[in-house]
Amino acid sequence: MSKLSVRITDKSWSLIDITKSIVERALFATMAAYASRVILHSRSYPSNRLAKYWFQSYNSIRRCTVVAESDRQEPDNETSNNATPQRRRRCPGLSSYNEEFGATSLIDAYLYSGQVEKAWSYFNKFRRLNHDFKIDVYNDILLSLIKLQNRTKIEAFLHSMQGDGVVYDYNTYAILLMDAYYNGLRYENVKEIVDNLTAQGLDYRRTAYECFLSAQEVDIVAEVLEFYDLSHHKRSKSTLDDAPALSNLSDSICRVDHIEKYSKLFEYNDKDIRALVKEQIEREKVGYIKITTVRKAHEPDKWSNEQFDKLLSTWKTELTDAIDCEQRMISSGNRDASEETYRSRYGPFFNILPASLCADIALNTFRNCMISSYGTALNHLCKEIGGNILRLYLIKKKEEHGAIEKILDLYPSYVHHILQKNKESTLGSLDYWEKLSEDINKGPSMAPKLPIWPQSIKTAVGSALIEIFLRIAKINANMMKEKAESKIIPAFYHVYVFQKQRQVGFIKPHPTIMKLINRTQETEGKMFMETNMLPTLVPSRPWLCHHDGGYVTTPSPIMRYREDCFDQDVLLAKNSRKLRSVYDSINYLGSCPWQINKRVLEKCIECFNGTGNDMLDIPSPEPMPMPPYPIDPSIGPQEKRNIIETRRQVAKKQREHHALRMDILYKLSVAKHFENDIFWLPHNMDFRGRVYPIPPHLSHIGSDLARSIMLFAVGRPLGQEGLNWLKIHLVNVHGVKSKASLPDRISFAESLKDEVFDSADNPFTGRKWWQTGEYPWQTLATCMELADVWRSDNPEKFVSYFPVHQDGTCNGLQHYAALGRDTFGAEQVNLVSRDAPQDIYSAVARMVEEYRAIDATKNNKVAVWLEGKISRKVVKQTVMTIVYGVTKIGGREQIARQLQKLKGSSSEEEIFTASQYLVRVVFEQLSKMFYSARRIQEWLNDSARQIASAGKLVEWETPLALPVLQPYRVPVYKEQRTRLQRINLLSTTDNTSKPHVSKQKMAFPPNYIHSLDSTHMMLTSLECQAADITFVAVHDSFWTHAATVNELNKICRRQFVKLHKEPLLQDLEKFLRDKYDGLPTTRNNPVKLGKMPDKGSFNLDEVHNSKYFFS
């Protein structure tokens, strides 16, 4: 037994006498450790009282530390005292990013509320636990201490920073320059700071530009630097790292300057733009917008409206008072011992907003809870309220720093740059915004450092507000009854519902509330919608960093990742300076102005409020009727079970029907709200780099109906080729001849002239040809546009605002064929020039049929049964999803569903056997067509399996330097106690949990391909921006004006070839080997990646001449 020594740090002992021997202490510690393991792995805590006693006893004497002398490391006397100290190691107890961001947010909340002493106290507490803070936390505390001008604490804190080995950044030096200003502005002090900054390799002239301080503080820093440098100080532009060579657009660019642009936007002056920006800012501050629904409204019910308004007013007053009382109790520090645990979780964050604002957030959130009789899950409600508190807090911080005022100054010039009628400036959105910031030369930095709240903090804050609201929200249960006695009861109830064998807390409204809400909604027809789920009235604010951009004031992350997935946030922060091309691309997509197609919207609303139409994906107003419950005693047990099962299926369909109706109602209502406005769609991306509009209800990424009501707000004359592309677009969206050659599609569209006119003029009373299309609403919209063009005097000069699509042919397989240089596969997905487009699905169906015919001659019963049943439709979904990682099990289910739809299909057993046979053959035939690509997919799968087995997440970088991290981990439940209940927070992204090996393995190939198709889209958008071509994208579907389709086609082919001529697979292999090779796996075998498969002989330059690559 190794020698043990004891260090006494606390003389107060409650359970164990201080004279106990060292051996007894070691035994006690061992037993406590065993007891803690028993508790952690036990499902029944009350049954482990003895273990609990040992554990609690051990916790009470934790300050007596038992240390093994053999584990101690003596200090190295030879180490120089002037050497830079090592950064503190992260304590195992605070190892997750969740806890790191939680501690940072706690300190930020204390500093914001002016409780510097508490912030410093908590900071020192975490430091004693060896917690490793980022430089931003040190800067915030240092700034607060300097504002207080407490020299003793300032010197002590600077000593702590030096002891922790903190590396100063621009913000740190800016704060030190402020300190020099407050201390008399002596040249020696300023020179010492500037010398240290320069010695660190930084440029002192960039300090005022790089720091994130308030406008007044930045002016102080600028004044100090002017004092140091006799010449006038001008903040120099932030120099980003060199962008990837792939984003260089030095090649020839297709210019479209000769095609004029038309829009009422060109008439906007500075005053108009400033008014729109102010209106957008006010909307974002409020957080909600009242929208009139398109649903038919009944006669106004004055009494119900008055009662509901009176109820909300009463709740608002009482809730504000209750919140104010709670805030005063938190500030006073006089806390009830029983409440100490709960208030310690939410207290620091509860006081950052005024009571009235908190009350508004709670009431607006509960409005949505009142709509559904099912109620809302408590954990969802808590996180929503907590998230809204955070959103308003960040907006308030920006306002106090002067950032919003600076945005108002910048926006008019920025909007004029975005809306250039004749493109004069070639600067992108990001470059121009930075140039404007430099030219103004005042105000705060536009790249703020904003706190991130983990879901545990949002839950704690939200649950505290909900508990107060449930306590004060009362209603008269007899308010609907005339002359009935008043009966005051709670308006909302906290109930439990079982979901997937788990008990889940719900907040449900009282039935009286539901009746009142239904009456007011039927008469008023209003709904409340969050501002960050709606388009903006001005162009999206350019992304300057990974966590701020898009909306004008509302902070939004540029990447959509699962809650508490801080690994990705950390990676983006490290690579932010390399992502200029990514930012530019997303900024350009968000700068496209839109308007509503009013004629199509009118017809959609007419159908919605009428009888509906399942062919048009608009459900009827009346749901499926529920069959009566079996009460006849003569019904047998089996028949009764069948009726109950039927009722369960009908109830499920009723819920789905309601969800579909509400989804369409939201889309149409938002579109109606913006029908007279020009609006913009802020964009962000998922972890693979795929770009999406942030507003979910009104965008071009959505259903057929959603796409049909969208028009560009800038128009261009059709020109010589535009009319032909409109005809091709009509055939594409209708679907019947979409696989024909381009001349055949044009001829087919011309032969349908009468049908086009009839569809445009009489959508619901004519022959309704448009309803036979694959995408009927887009077909109707195109018919209306073509009818207008054909009726115009000069089609070439017709100004069209209509978006025309160019879609890739099974784009995932196109990337695989290019990666593997598969000649045969490239032909099937139109990478090679042909007179007619190739259809990969039909080709696979032909090969499968040939294989089946051979087997049928050998008396294979399954092959014989499948005669006449194999078609393009049967194999299409499986072929489409193989590239995205579908397994043979999933593929068999897809084929089985298609076989069941065939007439005369037999038993389930025959369909199961036939689908098993077909999925095997489909996989074999695709492997022949894309031989090299299939080997690449297997290599990616094997690499991901080894990496995940080593306990690491699979990570790589796209050709535009975007870091991609697969977030799949083993789910972990973390319990959080609130006054209402214990809430289990499900986390699949906590960096302390293990990677999910099977998900990491299966997801790597499709995610890698998605990262390539997103890179192709971004490269295309960058060149379109330089060429002044309107461009938006739905992943592998590129949209532009009919007049500029030819130019877009040249650009997208050129960028595809440019992308795949890069050594993509070699770069990926090198990245993975450098990062993961040699790591031990769970089986103690080191990670050893296999050899990259050989490529084929396909010549990528053939893509330049392919008509049907995108068409």
Side-chain angles (χ1 to χ4, degrees), residues 872-1053:
R872 178 183 186 274
K873 191 173 183 179
V874 170
V875 302
K876 178 180 177 180
Q877 190 178 10
T878 305
V879 173
M880 186 189 303
T881 53
I882 277 180
V883 66
Y884 300 126
V886 71
T887 61
K888 287 188 176 181
I889 296 174
R892 188 206 64 75
E893 292 173 350
Q894 292 169 346
I895 292 174
R897 283 195 293 270
Q898 297 300 325
L899 291 176
Q900 286 171 349
K901 296 177 182 178
L902 299 177
K903 293 182 179 179
S905 58
S906 301
S907 64
E908 291 185 6
E909 184 178 351
E910 287 179 321
I911 290 176
F912 181 88
T913 307
S915 59
Q916 269 192 324
Y917 172 85
L918 279 181
V919 74
R920 176 178 58 82
V921 178
V922 168
F923 270 69
E924 288 176 359
Q925 300 310 312
L926 269 175
S927 293
K928 293 178 182 177
M929 296 173 72
F930 299 89
Y931 177 80
S932 298
R934 190 64 179 165
R935 303 288 82 76
I936 291 170
Q937 191 175 24
E938 291 170 356
W939 183 86
L940 293 172
N941 278 328
D942 180 66
S943 300
R945 179 189 58 79
Q946 292 190 60
I947 293 168
S949 297
K952 301 293 183 181
L953 300 181
V954 179
E955 177 190 340
W956 70 96
E957 283 189 0
T958 71
L960 288 179
L962 177 69
V964 181
L965 186 73
Q966 294 193 148
Y968 315 116
R969 296 182 184 271
V970 177
V972 174
Y973 280 98
K974 294 189 175 182
E975 185 181 272
Q976 181 160 339
R977 296 188 179 187
T978 68
R979 287 195 184 99
L980 295 171
Q981 69 172 63
R982 295 180 182 182
I983 296 177
N984 283 323
L985 301 177
L986 174 62
S987 174
T988 57
T989 55
D990 193 300
N991 62 313
T992 58
S993 59
K994 297 179 180 178
H996 197 298
V997 177
S998 62
K999 284 186 178 181
Q1000 290 285 337
K1001 172 188 171 184
M1002 298 306 298
F1004 188 22
N1007 284 341
Y1008 179 67
I1009 295 299
H1010 279 314
S1011 70
L1012 291 183
D1013 73 43
S1014 69
T1015 302
H1016 175 226
M1017 185 279 296
M1018 289 179 180
L1019 291 171
T1020 303
S1021 73
L1022 289 173
E1023 187 167 349
C1024 284
Q1025 180 180 14
D1028 196 24
I1029 295 173
T1030 301
F1031 175 84
V1032 292
V1034 184
H1035 306 320
D1036 60 346
S1037 176
F1038 297 167
W1039 296 19
T1040 190
H1041 290 98
T1044 54
V1045 170
N1046 288 334
E1047 287 74 15
L1048 173 63
N1049 278 328
K1050 294 174 185 176
I1051 291 172
C1052 84
R1053 285 157 175 77

Side-chain angles (χ1 to χ4, degrees), residues 473-529:
K474 306 291 183 182
I475 191 173
N476 179 10
N478 295 329
M479 67 185 305
M480 298 288 189
K481 301 174 184 178
E482 293 184 6
K483 299 180 182 180
E485 186 180 348
S486 178
K487 184 181 178 181
I488 304 301
I489 58 172
F492 295 86
Y493 291 95
H494 176 215
V495 298
Y496 290 91
V497 177
F498 278 95
Q499 289 185 347
K500 297 181 180 179
Q501 300 180 348
R502 296 186 68 88
Q503 201 174 18
V504 181
F506 268 70
I507 303 297
K508 297 186 71 171
H510 190 273
T512 306
I513 289 285
M514 289 301 305
K515 291 177 184 177
L516 195 62
I517 284 288
N518 290 335
R519 284 191 185 185
T520 56
Q521 281 192 340
E522 288 175 359
T523 57
E524 271 195 344
K526 302 289 185 182
M527 66 170 68
F528 282 81
M529 195 157 290

Side-chain angles (χ1 to χ4, degrees), residues 658-687:
H658 176 74
L660 288 172
R661 287 281 298 182
M662 289 300 102
D663 178 60
I664 295 172
L665 177 64
Y666 283 1
K667 284 179 168 59
L668 296 180
S669 299
V670 174
K672 186 70 175 175
H673 182 79
F674 283 93
E675 70 172 341
N676 296 317
D677 296 325
I678 292 175
F679 56 89
W680 284 261
L681 302 173
H683 285 62
N684 62 6
M685 59 185 171
D686 64 15
F687 72 93

